[in-house]
Amino acid sequence: MGRRILNDALRSIVNAEKRGKDSVKLQPISTVMRSFLNIMKTRGYIKNYQVYDPMRVGRIEVELQGRVKDCKALTYRQDLKARDIQAYTSRILPTHQWGYVVISTPEGILDHEKAIEKNVGGQVLGYFH
């Protein structure tokens, strides 16, 4: 169920970017979604996000920057070993220069560059570029 929520949110972001919107509201929310958005923010793909009423269903308002071309959450379980991350990213992402694969690891939710740096594997949550 959590991956479906994440996938719906990421599709909403892509659709709003294609329409040229400045912001998008996402509902319902999850902690995984918050971590995914935090990675997108630190990598400069979104400006900011604000969480409203996190104790209930809640909603997140995301300020868009116009850099997101595509982002998806994988709805199936894809396990990656630390040594296989580079091959997976070259297969999924359009180029080596931009885009990130987000991985849930024992160290937390990381992008593929941090996972390679820490030498940890995990499950692929999704990607964005």
Side-chain angles (χ1 to χ4, degrees):
M1 179 165 168
R3 292 185 188 233
R4 171 106 187 195
I5 292 171
L6 180 62
N7 194 29
D8 291 344
L10 295 179
R11 295 312 317 159
S12 296
I13 290 173
V14 170
N15 290 338
E17 287 274 10
K18 285 181 181 177
R19 284 190 226 118
K21 303 271 184 172
D22 291 336
S23 65
V24 63
K25 291 180 181 152
L26 308 174
Q27 190 175 6
I29 63 173
S30 67
T31 56
V32 173
M33 184 191 309
R34 239 187 278 181
S35 300
F36 202 102
L37 290 174
N38 196 28
I39 291 172
M40 289 178 81
K41 180 182 172 186
T42 57
R43 295 301 181 175
Y45 280 79
I46 60 174
K47 285 182 186 173
N48 199 4
Y49 67 93
Q50 188 73 27
V51 180
Y52 297 101
D53 199 17
M55 295 303 187
R56 294 186 177 199
V57 175
R59 66 180 160 84
I60 296 177
E61 187 166 341
V62 180
E63 295 177 34
L64 302 174
Q65 199 162 292
R67 286 194 60 196
V68 178
K69 302 295 182 241
D70 190 22
C71 57
K72 289 185 181 175
L74 299 182
T75 55
Y76 56 91
R77 181 175 293 173
Q78 178 77 38
D79 295 328
L80 274 183
K81 295 179 182 172
R83 66 177 180 263
D84 299 334
I85 293 174
Q86 193 65 41
Y88 183 82
T89 56
S90 65
R91 192 172 67 236
I92 292 294
L93 297 176
T95 68
H96 295 287
Q97 297 172 345
W98 44 275
Y100 295 93
V101 175
V102 180
I103 304 169
S104 176
T105 67
E107 302 281 327
I109 296 177
L110 307 171
D111 60 59
H112 71 273
E113 290 180 351
K114 293 276 187 180
I116 290 171
E117 182 182 302
K118 293 185 177 188
N119 197 28
V120 293
Q123 292 183 350
V124 178
L125 292 176
Y127 63 90
F128 61 93
H129 57 86

